């Protein structure tokens, strides 16, 4: 079982399928996001096209491969290492023989009061960008956006400001 379907989870599945010539392993992939593995590094390219397909990693749906079962929108919430099971946000309990956590990372949000308020976003997923876009579209003309963090991603987000609507 693979938990997480980012670039690493997808590469892992492909590498395992390439090596498992006898087809011994049945692979279940549980993906928290609603979209199968995409090129997160190219996320800024989503702004303006709003076409998720352009970022899709090749072969990310494992079409025609009966040994891989991909479930999107399924977050693992507990792992029972004794019982060799995981439970998911959808209430499923699924058994495994080997478990690979390819769960990536999360953006660090400084503990600033108010950081959980409405219209306060992070910049990591396609859904994040859709949420920022929806907020921009709902704003009055002349509304001001603030980017906190002036690293590469912060600058990219600011650069795309004119493209959100
Ligand atoms: C806009 C942007 C630009 C970037 N540019 C660069 C760059 O130029 N160069 C570079 O080296 N890196 C860059 N990075 C970082 C790079 O994207 C990450 O290092 C890379 O995505 C890591 O891949 P991953 O598969 O390990 O994790 P992730 O891409 O984070 O994927 C992990 C997946 O697991 C899912 N997941 C997490 N927990 C669970 C759970 N409990 N159950 C089910 N699923 C779960 C997550 O939702 C996610 O879909 C960039 C990141 C962003 C956001």
């Amino acid at each position: 079982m693979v938990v997480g379907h980012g670039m690493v989870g997808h590469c892992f599945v492909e590498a395992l399928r390439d090596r498992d010539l006898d087809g011994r392993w049945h692979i279940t992939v549980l993906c928290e996001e609603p979209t199968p593995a995409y090129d997160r590094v190219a996320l800024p390219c989503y702004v303006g096209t709003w076409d998720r397909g352009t970022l899709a990693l090749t072969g990310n749906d494992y079409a025609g491969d009966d040994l891989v079962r991909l479930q999107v929108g399924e977050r693992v919430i507990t792992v029972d290492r004794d019982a060799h099971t995981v439970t998911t946000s959808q209430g499923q309990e699924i058994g495994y023989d080997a478990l690979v956590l390819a769960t990536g990372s999360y953006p660090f949000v400084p503990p600033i009061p108010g950081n959980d308020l409405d219209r306060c976003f992070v910049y990591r997923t396609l859904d994040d960008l859709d949420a920022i876009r929806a907020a921009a579209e709902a704003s009055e003309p002349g509304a001001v956006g603030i980017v906190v963090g002036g690293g590469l991603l912060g600058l990219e987000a600011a650069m795309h400001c004119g493209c959100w609507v």
Side-chain angles (χ1 to χ4, degrees):
M1 175 180 296
V2 178
V3 180
H5 199 228
M7 297 191 283
V8 170
H10 177 53
C11 285
F12 173 79
V13 173
E14 287 195 317
L16 176 56
R17 292 295 295 117
D18 282 348
R19 288 164 175 75
D20 182 25
L21 301 178
D22 300 332
R24 290 175 55 213
W25 288 93
H26 291 251
I27 310 167
T28 298
V29 186
L30 300 175
C31 173
E32 174 185 28
E33 292 186 61
T35 305
Y38 55 89
D39 184 355
R40 198 178 303 285
V41 172
L43 197 60
C45 302
Y46 180 55
V47 179
T49 69
W50 307 113
D51 177 0
R52 294 187 172 217
T54 60
L55 269 61
L57 296 185
T58 305
N60 67 356
D61 59 357
Y62 313 109
D65 189 341
D66 295 338
L67 293 180
V68 183
R69 186 166 59 107
L70 171 66
Q71 293 181 226
V72 297
E74 197 86 58
R75 175 177 169 78
V76 168
I77 52 174
T78 64
V79 176
D80 185 333
R81 293 173 64 188
D82 294 325
H84 283 203
T85 58
V86 303
T87 53
T88 73
S89 49
Q90 308 286 339
Q92 285 197 80
E93 183 176 284
I94 309 174
Y96 66 83
D97 292 303
L99 180 66
V100 174
L101 300 177
T103 46
S105 58
Y106 291 93
F108 170 70
V109 179
I112 301 168
N115 66 11
D116 56 350
L117 291 176
D118 201 24
R119 298 162 71 85
C120 189
F121 306 97
V122 294
Y123 184 83
R124 196 184 72 89
T125 68
L126 291 166
D127 283 356
D128 293 336
L129 268 58
D130 280 346
I132 296 170
R133 181 190 185 194
E137 286 180 342
S139 300
E140 298 294 326
V144 174
I146 294 178
V147 177
V148 179
L152 176 66
L153 301 188
L155 294 179
E156 271 182 351
M159 188 178 77
H160 283 108
C161 265
C163 310
W164 291 108
V165 291

